[in-house]
Amino acid sequence: MDVPRDAEHVVSAATRRQRQMAREKTPQRRFGAQIRDHAGRTLTRGNMLTLPFEEPLIMCEPRFGANYPRENLPESLEQERQHNADRSNSDMRDVEDDFSERDEDEREDDQDENGLPKKRGPRKKKPGKEQMDRAKMRRQEANARERSRMHGLNAALESLRKVVPCYSKTQKLSKIETLRLAKNYIWALSETLSAGKRPDLLAFVQTLCKGLSQPTTNLVAGCLQLNARNFLTDHNGEVMFSGRSPYDAMYSYPGSDVNTPPGHSGSGLENSAKGFRHYSLGSAYEPYYENPSPESGSPHFDGQLSPPMNFSGIFSLKHDDPPDYGKGGHYGMRYCGAPGRTALAHNSMYRVSPEARFPYDLHVRSQSFQAQGEVNGSFHN
DNA sequence: TAGGCCATCTGGTCCT
DNA sequence: AGGACCAGATGGCCTA
Protein backbone atom coordinates (compact mmCIF):
# COMPACT_ATOMS: atom_id res chain seq x y z
CA MET A 1 0.00 0.00 0.00
CA ASP A 2 1.35 3.32 -0.83
CA VAL A 3 0.57 6.04 1.59
CA PRO A 4 1.12 9.38 0.00
CA ARG A 5 4.28 10.99 1.16
CA ASP A 6 2.47 14.17 1.82
CA ALA A 7 -0.31 12.57 3.68
CA GLU A 8 0.32 15.05 6.41
CA HIS A 9 -1.06 17.70 4.12
CA VAL A 10 -4.33 15.93 4.30
CA VAL A 11 -4.47 16.50 8.00
CA SER A 12 -7.29 18.78 8.75
CA ALA A 13 -6.82 22.38 9.59
CA ALA A 14 -8.23 21.73 13.05
CA THR A 15 -5.64 19.08 13.69
CA ARG A 16 -2.90 21.35 12.47
CA ARG A 17 -4.11 24.02 14.82
CA GLN A 18 -3.99 21.61 17.73
CA ARG A 19 -0.56 20.44 16.79
CA GLN A 20 0.54 24.03 16.69
CA MET A 21 -0.91 24.54 20.12
CA ALA A 22 0.93 21.49 21.31
CA ARG A 23 4.15 22.99 20.13
CA GLU A 24 3.44 26.32 21.72
CA LYS A 25 2.47 25.00 25.10
CA THR A 26 4.77 23.39 27.54
CA PRO A 27 3.43 19.93 28.13
CA GLN A 28 2.98 18.53 31.54
CA ARG A 29 5.05 15.68 32.63
CA ARG A 30 4.01 12.43 31.32
CA PHE A 31 2.87 9.45 31.80
CA GLY A 32 1.36 10.58 28.71
CA ALA A 33 2.27 14.16 28.79
CA GLN A 34 -0.97 15.88 28.36
CA ILE A 35 -1.63 19.46 27.72
CA ARG A 36 -4.73 21.48 28.03
CA ASP A 37 -6.21 23.27 25.16
CA HIS A 38 -7.61 26.74 25.20
CA ALA A 39 -10.89 25.43 26.53
CA GLY A 40 -9.19 23.73 29.41
CA ARG A 41 -9.71 20.29 28.01
CA THR A 42 -7.00 17.82 28.65
CA LEU A 43 -5.36 16.58 25.57
CA THR A 44 -3.11 13.69 25.11
CA ARG A 45 0.39 14.17 24.02
CA GLY A 46 1.46 13.84 20.51
CA ASN A 47 -1.31 14.07 18.05
CA MET A 48 -4.35 14.96 19.97
CA LEU A 49 -7.88 14.09 19.45
CA THR A 50 -9.81 16.69 17.67
CA LEU A 51 -12.69 15.99 19.98
CA PRO A 52 -13.33 16.55 23.62
CA PHE A 53 -13.75 13.40 25.57
CA GLU A 54 -16.66 14.85 27.42
CA GLU A 55 -18.87 14.49 24.43
CA PRO A 56 -21.73 12.07 24.87
CA LEU A 57 -20.59 8.56 24.59
CA ILE A 58 -22.34 5.97 22.64
CA MET A 59 -20.81 2.90 24.09
CA CYS A 60 -24.03 1.04 24.13
CA GLU A 61 -24.15 1.18 20.41
CA PRO A 62 -22.47 -1.73 18.77
CA ARG A 63 -20.89 0.59 16.32
CA PHE A 64 -20.47 3.61 18.43
CA GLY A 65 -17.92 5.09 16.15
CA ALA A 66 -20.37 5.24 13.37
CA ASN A 67 -22.81 7.04 15.58
CA TYR A 68 -20.43 9.56 16.93
CA PRO A 69 -22.04 12.93 16.59
CA ARG A 70 -20.43 14.19 13.51
CA GLU A 71 -21.80 17.62 13.93
CA ASN A 72 -19.47 17.89 16.86
CA LEU A 73 -16.50 17.12 14.78
CA PRO A 74 -14.36 20.15 14.27
CA GLU A 75 -14.33 19.18 10.70
CA SER A 76 -17.48 17.88 9.33
CA LEU A 77 -17.64 16.58 5.91
CA GLU A 78 -18.72 19.94 4.69
CA GLN A 79 -15.81 21.60 6.37
CA GLU A 80 -13.50 19.04 5.00
CA ARG A 81 -14.72 19.75 1.57
CA GLN A 82 -13.95 23.36 2.13
CA HIS A 83 -10.51 22.51 3.39
CA ASN A 84 -9.93 20.46 0.33
CA ALA A 85 -10.46 23.51 -1.77
CA ASP A 86 -7.61 25.23 0.02
CA ARG A 87 -5.12 22.53 0.54
CA SER A 88 -2.71 21.23 -1.97
CA ASN A 89 -4.04 18.68 -4.34
CA SER A 90 -1.48 16.07 -3.53
CA ASP A 91 -4.01 13.61 -2.26
CA MET A 92 -6.15 14.35 -5.21
CA ARG A 93 -3.28 13.55 -7.47
CA ASP A 94 -3.03 10.20 -5.79
CA VAL A 95 -6.56 9.42 -6.70
CA GLU A 96 -5.91 10.53 -10.21
CA ASP A 97 -2.76 8.45 -10.33
CA ASP A 98 -4.77 5.54 -9.17
CA PHE A 99 -7.06 5.95 -12.08
CA SER A 100 -4.15 6.34 -14.43
CA GLU A 101 -2.54 3.16 -13.23
CA ARG A 102 -5.74 1.31 -13.52
CA ASP A 103 -6.14 2.53 -17.04
CA GLU A 104 -2.62 1.42 -17.80
CA ASP A 105 -3.34 -2.04 -16.49
CA GLU A 106 -6.39 -2.28 -18.65
CA ARG A 107 -4.34 -1.42 -21.68
CA GLU A 108 -1.88 -4.13 -20.85
CA ASP A 109 -4.65 -6.60 -20.34
CA ASP A 110 -5.88 -5.82 -23.78
CA GLN A 111 -3.15 -8.00 -25.15
CA ASP A 112 -2.86 -11.73 -24.71
CA GLU A 113 0.32 -13.68 -24.14
CA ASN A 114 1.20 -13.36 -27.82
CA GLY A 115 0.80 -9.68 -27.80
CA LEU A 116 -2.29 -9.90 -29.91
CA PRO A 117 -5.26 -7.84 -29.02
CA LYS A 118 -7.84 -9.67 -27.02
CA LYS A 119 -11.36 -9.79 -28.15
CA ARG A 120 -13.41 -8.03 -25.63
CA GLY A 121 -16.50 -6.12 -25.30
CA PRO A 122 -16.63 -2.42 -25.49
CA ARG A 123 -13.62 -0.94 -23.82
CA LYS A 124 -14.22 0.74 -20.56
CA LYS A 125 -14.34 4.42 -20.76
CA LYS A 126 -11.61 6.35 -19.10
CA PRO A 127 -13.11 7.82 -15.99
CA GLY A 128 -14.19 11.28 -16.62
CA LYS A 129 -13.76 14.25 -14.41
CA GLU A 130 -17.11 13.64 -12.83
CA GLN A 131 -16.21 10.12 -11.83
CA MET A 132 -12.88 11.24 -10.50
CA ASP A 133 -14.49 13.91 -8.45
CA ARG A 134 -16.88 11.38 -7.12
CA ALA A 135 -14.06 9.06 -6.19
CA LYS A 136 -12.29 11.87 -4.43
CA MET A 137 -15.40 12.73 -2.58
CA ARG A 138 -15.95 9.15 -1.52
CA ARG A 139 -12.43 8.92 -0.29
CA GLN A 140 -12.78 12.10 1.70
CA GLU A 141 -16.02 10.93 3.18
CA ALA A 142 -14.46 7.63 4.07
CA ASN A 143 -11.61 9.44 5.75
CA ALA A 144 -14.03 11.53 7.73
CA ARG A 145 -15.98 8.47 8.75
CA GLU A 146 -12.83 6.74 9.80
CA ARG A 147 -11.78 9.69 11.86
CA SER A 148 -15.18 9.80 13.44
CA ARG A 149 -15.03 6.11 14.14
CA MET A 150 -11.67 6.40 15.78
CA HIS A 151 -12.88 9.33 17.83
CA GLY A 152 -15.73 7.21 19.05
CA LEU A 153 -13.35 4.43 19.84
CA ASN A 154 -11.14 6.79 21.76
CA ALA A 155 -14.12 8.23 23.57
CA ALA A 156 -15.09 4.76 24.64
CA LEU A 157 -11.56 4.14 25.74
CA GLU A 158 -11.62 7.32 27.73
CA SER A 159 -14.80 6.22 29.42
CA LEU A 160 -13.06 2.98 30.21
CA ARG A 161 -10.21 4.91 31.76
CA LYS A 162 -12.69 6.49 34.08
CA VAL A 163 -14.04 3.25 35.44
CA VAL A 164 -10.81 1.48 36.05
CA PRO A 165 -8.75 2.36 39.09
CA CYS A 166 -6.32 5.20 38.93
CA TYR A 167 -8.17 7.47 36.66
CA SER A 168 -6.50 10.79 36.28
CA LYS A 169 -7.29 13.50 33.85
CA THR A 170 -3.78 14.76 33.85
CA GLN A 171 -1.89 11.53 33.62
CA LYS A 172 -3.72 9.22 31.38
CA LEU A 173 -2.94 5.61 30.94
CA SER A 174 -2.03 4.67 27.47
CA LYS A 175 -4.54 2.78 25.43
CA ILE A 176 -2.88 -0.54 25.84
CA GLU A 177 -2.34 -0.08 29.55
CA THR A 178 -5.95 0.96 29.97
CA LEU A 179 -7.10 -2.22 28.34
CA ARG A 180 -4.76 -4.33 30.39
CA LEU A 181 -5.75 -2.70 33.61
CA ALA A 182 -9.41 -3.02 32.75
CA LYS A 183 -8.97 -6.68 32.09
CA ASN A 184 -7.16 -7.16 35.37
CA TYR A 185 -9.76 -5.12 37.17
CA ILE A 186 -12.58 -7.24 35.85
CA TRP A 187 -10.67 -10.30 36.75
CA ALA A 188 -9.97 -9.13 40.28
CA LEU A 189 -13.57 -8.15 40.88
CA SER A 190 -14.76 -11.43 39.51
CA GLU A 191 -12.43 -13.26 41.80
CA THR A 192 -13.66 -11.23 44.70
CA LEU A 193 -17.27 -11.90 43.92
CA SER A 194 -16.65 -15.52 43.40
CA ALA A 195 -14.76 -15.83 46.63
CA GLY A 196 -17.46 -14.11 48.56
CA LYS A 197 -15.02 -12.89 51.12
CA ARG A 198 -13.26 -9.72 51.80
CA PRO A 199 -10.37 -9.75 49.47
CA ASP A 200 -6.78 -9.42 50.25
CA LEU A 201 -5.54 -6.03 49.28
CA LEU A 202 -2.21 -7.22 48.15
CA ALA A 203 -3.68 -9.93 46.02
CA PHE A 204 -6.05 -7.46 44.52
CA VAL A 205 -3.28 -5.08 43.67
CA GLN A 206 -1.17 -7.87 42.33
CA THR A 207 -3.95 -8.94 40.05
CA LEU A 208 -4.48 -5.40 38.95
CA CYS A 209 -0.85 -5.01 38.06
CA LYS A 210 -0.34 -8.21 36.20
CA GLY A 211 1.18 -7.56 32.84
CA LEU A 212 1.28 -3.83 33.33
CA SER A 213 4.35 -1.83 32.67
CA GLN A 214 6.42 -0.64 35.55
CA PRO A 215 5.18 2.95 35.28
CA THR A 216 1.61 1.78 35.28
CA THR A 217 2.30 -0.53 38.17
CA ASN A 218 3.69 2.39 40.05
CA LEU A 219 0.69 4.41 39.11
CA VAL A 220 -1.69 1.78 40.42
CA ALA A 221 0.30 1.54 43.59
CA GLY A 222 0.32 5.28 43.80
CA CYS A 223 -3.42 5.30 43.44
CA LEU A 224 -3.60 3.01 46.37
CA GLN A 225 -1.10 5.16 48.13
CA LEU A 226 1.10 2.19 48.50
CA ASN A 227 4.69 2.03 47.73
CA ALA A 228 5.00 -0.42 44.92
CA ARG A 229 8.28 -1.58 46.28
CA ASN A 230 7.13 -2.16 49.76
CA PHE A 231 3.53 -3.04 49.98
CA LEU A 232 2.73 -6.26 51.62
CA THR A 233 0.02 -7.42 53.85
CA ASP A 234 0.24 -9.21 57.09
CA HIS A 235 -1.78 -12.18 58.07
CA ASN A 236 -4.85 -10.12 58.63
CA GLY A 237 -4.64 -8.42 55.33
CA GLU A 238 -3.36 -5.23 56.80
CA VAL A 239 -0.70 -3.45 54.91
CA MET A 240 2.74 -3.80 56.21
CA PHE A 241 5.97 -2.82 54.63
CA SER A 242 9.11 -4.57 53.68
CA GLY A 243 11.92 -4.02 51.33
CA ARG A 244 10.80 -6.58 48.85
CA SER A 245 10.23 -5.70 45.30
CA PRO A 246 6.71 -5.73 43.97
CA TYR A 247 7.63 -8.67 41.85
CA ASP A 248 8.80 -10.61 44.81
CA ALA A 249 5.55 -9.83 46.42
CA MET A 250 3.72 -10.69 43.29
CA TYR A 251 5.29 -13.98 42.59
CA SER A 252 6.01 -15.16 46.04
CA TYR A 253 3.38 -14.62 48.59
CA PRO A 254 4.85 -14.06 51.97
CA GLY A 255 4.59 -16.69 54.57
CA SER A 256 1.62 -18.66 55.57
CA ASP A 257 -1.79 -17.32 55.94
CA VAL A 258 -4.49 -18.31 58.30
CA ASN A 259 -6.71 -18.70 55.32
CA THR A 260 -4.27 -20.65 53.35
CA PRO A 261 -5.13 -24.29 53.31
CA PRO A 262 -2.49 -26.93 53.41
CA GLY A 263 -0.71 -27.32 50.15
CA HIS A 264 -1.44 -23.89 48.97
CA SER A 265 1.55 -22.17 50.27
CA GLY A 266 4.61 -21.82 48.22
CA SER A 267 6.47 -19.44 46.04
CA GLY A 268 7.33 -18.77 42.50
CA LEU A 269 5.22 -18.18 39.49
CA GLU A 270 2.90 -20.99 40.16
CA ASN A 271 1.89 -19.11 43.21
CA SER A 272 1.48 -15.84 41.49
CA ALA A 273 -2.24 -15.76 41.81
CA LYS A 274 -2.62 -17.67 44.99
CA GLY A 275 -3.21 -14.52 46.82
CA PHE A 276 -6.78 -15.13 46.03
CA ARG A 277 -6.57 -18.58 47.36
CA HIS A 278 -5.83 -17.15 50.69
CA TYR A 279 -9.29 -15.94 51.11
CA SER A 280 -11.35 -17.92 48.76
CA LEU A 281 -11.22 -21.60 48.89
CA GLY A 282 -14.73 -22.75 48.94
CA SER A 283 -14.74 -26.07 47.26
CA ALA A 284 -17.59 -25.01 45.09
CA TYR A 285 -15.32 -22.48 43.47
CA GLU A 286 -12.32 -24.66 43.22
CA PRO A 287 -12.56 -25.28 39.49
CA TYR A 288 -12.70 -21.58 39.04
CA TYR A 289 -9.18 -21.30 40.27
CA GLU A 290 -7.87 -23.62 37.70
CA ASN A 291 -7.34 -20.44 35.82
CA PRO A 292 -5.58 -18.54 38.49
CA SER A 293 -4.49 -15.71 36.33
CA PRO A 294 -6.05 -13.15 34.10
CA GLU A 295 -3.54 -14.22 31.53
CA SER A 296 -4.87 -17.72 31.40
CA GLY A 297 -8.39 -16.90 30.50
CA SER A 298 -11.46 -15.45 32.00
CA PRO A 299 -13.31 -17.01 34.82
CA HIS A 300 -16.63 -18.46 34.00
CA PHE A 301 -19.68 -18.30 36.14
CA ASP A 302 -22.60 -20.56 36.27
CA GLY A 303 -24.85 -17.60 36.46
CA GLN A 304 -24.73 -14.47 34.51
CA LEU A 305 -22.48 -11.96 35.99
CA SER A 306 -23.39 -8.41 35.43
CA PRO A 307 -20.58 -7.13 33.27
CA PRO A 308 -20.29 -3.58 34.50
CA MET A 309 -19.12 -4.40 37.98
CA ASN A 310 -18.49 -0.85 38.86
CA PHE A 311 -17.55 -0.72 42.45
CA SER A 312 -16.97 2.92 42.19
CA GLY A 313 -14.79 4.13 44.93
CA ILE A 314 -13.69 0.67 45.72
CA PHE A 315 -10.41 2.08 46.76
CA SER A 316 -10.69 4.78 49.28
CA LEU A 317 -7.94 5.92 51.48
CA LYS A 318 -8.73 9.52 52.06
CA HIS A 319 -12.35 9.60 51.36
CA ASP A 320 -12.77 12.90 53.06
CA ASP A 321 -10.46 14.62 50.73
CA PRO A 322 -11.92 16.02 47.60
CA PRO A 323 -10.43 14.75 44.43
CA ASP A 324 -7.65 16.91 43.27
CA TYR A 325 -6.50 15.85 39.90
CA GLY A 326 -3.33 17.18 38.60
CA LYS A 327 -1.79 18.23 41.86
CA GLY A 328 1.06 16.65 43.62
CA GLY A 329 2.56 13.32 42.97
CA HIS A 330 -0.43 11.25 43.96
CA TYR A 331 -3.19 10.41 41.69
CA GLY A 332 -6.30 10.84 43.66
CA MET A 333 -8.57 7.98 44.29
CA ARG A 334 -11.15 7.65 41.66
CA TYR A 335 -14.22 9.52 42.62
CA CYS A 336 -17.07 9.61 40.30
CA GLY A 337 -18.67 12.84 39.46
CA ALA A 338 -22.21 11.67 39.46
CA PRO A 339 -24.30 12.22 42.55
CA GLY A 340 -24.08 9.37 44.94
CA ARG A 341 -20.76 8.19 43.79
CA THR A 342 -18.89 9.83 46.53
CA ALA A 343 -21.04 8.05 49.00
CA LEU A 344 -19.97 4.81 47.51
CA ALA A 345 -16.44 5.61 48.33
CA HIS A 346 -17.39 5.68 51.94
CA ASN A 347 -18.36 2.08 51.67
CA SER A 348 -15.17 1.16 50.03
CA MET A 349 -14.08 -2.39 50.11
CA TYR A 350 -10.44 -1.63 50.46
CA ARG A 351 -8.97 0.63 53.00
CA VAL A 352 -5.50 0.59 54.25
CA SER A 353 -5.87 2.41 57.46
CA PRO A 354 -5.70 -0.19 60.20
CA GLU A 355 -8.68 1.15 62.01
CA ALA A 356 -10.81 0.97 58.97
CA ARG A 357 -9.73 -2.23 57.44
CA PHE A 358 -12.05 -3.65 54.84
CA PRO A 359 -15.23 -2.35 56.30
CA TYR A 360 -17.17 -3.03 53.21
CA ASP A 361 -19.24 -6.12 53.44
CA LEU A 362 -19.12 -7.74 50.11
CA HIS A 363 -22.18 -9.77 49.48
CA VAL A 364 -22.03 -12.62 47.14
CA ARG A 365 -23.93 -12.70 43.93
CA SER A 366 -27.62 -12.70 44.62
CA GLN A 367 -27.16 -10.71 47.75
CA SER A 368 -25.16 -8.11 46.05
CA PHE A 369 -27.07 -7.76 42.88
CA GLN A 370 -29.40 -5.24 44.27
CA ALA A 371 -26.54 -3.14 45.43
CA GLN A 372 -24.87 -3.64 42.13
CA GLY A 373 -27.93 -2.36 40.42
CA GLU A 374 -27.83 0.73 42.48
CA VAL A 375 -24.19 1.16 41.89
CA ASN A 376 -24.47 0.60 38.22
CA GLY A 377 -27.49 2.76 38.03
CA SER A 378 -25.69 5.73 39.37
CA PHE A 379 -22.56 4.84 37.59
CA HIS A 380 -24.00 4.60 34.17
CA ASN A 381 -25.81 7.81 34.44
C1' DT B 1 18.52 10.02 19.21
C1' DA B 2 15.70 5.95 19.99
C1' DG B 3 11.54 4.31 21.38
C1' DG B 4 6.72 4.80 22.75
C1' DC B 5 2.39 6.59 21.79
C1' DC B 6 -0.79 8.69 18.96
C1' DA B 7 -3.78 10.53 14.93
C1' DT B 8 -4.59 10.09 10.37
C1' DC B 9 -4.78 8.27 5.72
C1' DT B 10 -5.49 4.41 2.93
C1' DG B 11 -6.90 0.17 0.64
C1' DG B 12 -8.84 -4.28 1.42
C1' DT B 13 -12.55 -7.09 3.25
C1' DC B 14 -16.96 -8.04 5.03
C1' DC B 15 -21.67 -7.00 5.77
C1' DT B 16 -26.24 -4.94 4.92
C1' DA C 1 -23.28 0.26 -3.65
C1' DG C 2 -22.03 2.03 0.43
C1' DG C 3 -20.67 1.84 5.14
C1' DA C 4 -18.14 -0.37 8.96
C1' DC C 5 -14.15 -2.50 10.28
C1' DC C 6 -9.39 -3.57 10.11
C1' DA C 7 -4.45 -3.29 9.68
C1' DG C 8 -0.39 -1.18 7.60
C1' DA C 9 2.12 3.00 6.80
C1' DT C 10 3.49 7.47 8.01
C1' DG C 11 4.83 11.34 10.59
C1' DG C 12 4.45 14.28 14.82
C1' DC C 13 5.21 14.81 19.71
C1' DC C 14 7.27 13.54 23.91
C1' DT C 15 10.42 11.30 27.27
C1' DA C 16 14.52 8.92 28.73
Side-chain angles (χ1 to χ4, degrees):
Chain A
M1 181 189 59
D2 54 339
V3 176
R5 276 253 174 245
D6 49 359
E8 191 63 21
H9 293 278
V10 187
V11 172
S12 67
T15 305
R16 283 197 298 272
R17 279 197 302 274
Q18 287 186 331
R19 288 180 178 177
Q20 179 63 27
M21 283 166 24
R23 281 190 291 270
E24 291 172 358
K25 298 199 174 200
T26 302
Q28 297 178 6
R29 179 171 170 73
R30 182 216 204 246
F31 200 179
Q34 284 86 15
I35 64 172
R36 291 182 182 277
D37 65 3
H38 58 282
R41 294 190 297 254
T42 303
L43 305 172
T44 59
R45 65 176 185 165
N47 288 347
M48 287 151 291
L49 282 175
T50 55
L51 285 174
F53 282 123
E54 289 72 19
E55 297 294 345
L57 301 181
I58 318 154
M59 289 187 67
C60 53
E61 296 290 340
R63 291 184 168 184
F64 50 82
N67 295 318
Y68 201 89
R70 298 186 186 186
E71 63 271 18
N72 291 334
L73 288 172
E75 38 179 356
S76 64
L77 290 179
E78 283 304 314
Q79 286 174 313
E80 176 149 351
R81 286 165 190 167
Q82 285 187 344
H83 291 321
N84 289 337
D86 300 332
R87 77 169 69 119
S88 71
N89 288 325
S90 58
D91 53 328
M92 306 305 158
R93 281 196 301 272
D94 288 326
V95 178
E96 294 173 14
D97 291 345
D98 189 33
F99 277 113
S100 301
E101 290 172 7
R102 209 172 299 169
D103 203 51
E104 196 71 29
D105 293 340
E106 286 176 4
R107 276 194 292 272
E108 287 180 2
D109 290 342
D110 284 345
Q111 296 180 347
D112 60 14
E113 60 274 10
N114 298 323
L116 300 173
K118 289 179 178 176
K119 289 183 178 179
R120 282 188 177 176
R123 178 176 177 142
K124 285 182 184 175
K125 271 191 174 180
K126 185 176 182 177
K129 188 175 187 308
E130 203 171 304
Q131 291 171 291
M132 287 167 53
D133 288 343
R134 192 158 184 273
K136 294 174 195 171
M137 196 63 67
R138 282 217 312 271
R139 186 65 258 173
Q140 293 164 18
E141 289 172 351
N143 290 347
R145 281 194 303 270
E146 178 66 9
R147 275 199 304 275
S148 175
R149 192 181 70 86
M150 294 308 297
H151 289 166
L153 191 60
N154 287 328
L157 194 62
E158 178 62 17
S159 70
L160 182 62
R161 283 191 183 101
K162 293 177 180 176
V163 298
V164 297
C166 308
Y167 172 70
S168 168
K169 282 186 177 178
T170 54
Q171 293 205 304
K172 288 180 181 173
L173 294 174
S174 68
K175 292 181 176 181
I176 184 68
E177 292 292 86
T178 299
L179 293 175
R180 286 171 179 155
L181 180 58
K183 180 201 68 177
N184 291 349
Y185 189 38
I186 292 170
W187 177 272
L189 291 178
S190 300
E191 295 258 10
T192 299
L193 266 188
S194 177
K197 291 184 179 180
R198 291 167 179 168
D200 179 277
L201 174 62
L202 173 64
F204 200 97
V205 175
Q206 287 172 353
T207 303
L208 280 183
C209 294
K210 277 198 175 74
L212 300 183
S213 67
Q214 185 62 57
T216 307
T217 299
N218 294 337
L219 183 61
V220 172
C223 280
L224 298 175
Q225 296 195 356
L226 297 173
N227 188 325
R229 296 179 183 177
N230 297 324
F231 65 77
L232 283 175
T233 58
D234 65 9
H235 296 181
N236 296 322
E238 295 185 56
V239 173
M240 52 182 280
F241 296 93
S242 79
R244 302 178 62 168
S245 75
Y247 300 104
D248 290 340
M250 189 171 294
Y251 295 122
S252 175
Y253 202 85
S256 60
D257 190 294
V258 290
N259 293 326
T260 303
H264 281 179
S265 62
S267 62
L269 279 173
E270 54 91 19
N271 207 31
S272 62
K274 287 183 179 175
F276 282 113
R277 290 181 183 265
H278 290 274
Y279 54 80
S280 58
L281 290 158
S283 57
Y285 301 117
E286 201 61 30
Y288 164 59
Y289 289 104
E290 290 175 359
N291 287 330
S293 165
E295 300 301 328
S296 57
S298 299
H300 64 276
F301 296 91
D302 46 357
Q304 185 179 2
L305 182 64
S306 177
M309 301 291 296
N310 295 313
F311 287 87
S312 173
I314 192 170
F315 301 102
S316 177
L317 298 166
K318 293 182 177 179
H319 51 78
D320 290 332
D321 294 337
D324 190 9
Y325 301 117
K327 284 186 179 179
H330 287 295
Y331 314 112
M333 294 299 97
R334 178 165 52 79
Y335 282 76
C336 301
R341 292 179 182 177
T342 304
L344 289 170
H346 289 239
N347 285 330
S348 299
M349 188 171 1
Y350 296 97
R351 297 177 195 230
V352 178
S353 58
E355 71 278 7
R357 176 167 57 89
F358 297 155
Y360 185 87
D361 282 323
L362 179 65
H363 302 283
V364 186
R365 298 192 182 181
S366 59
Q367 292 175 298
S368 61
F369 282 162
Q370 184 178 354
Q372 286 176 26
E374 295 172 2
V375 170
N376 293 337
S378 64
F379 207 86
H380 295 290
N381 208 353

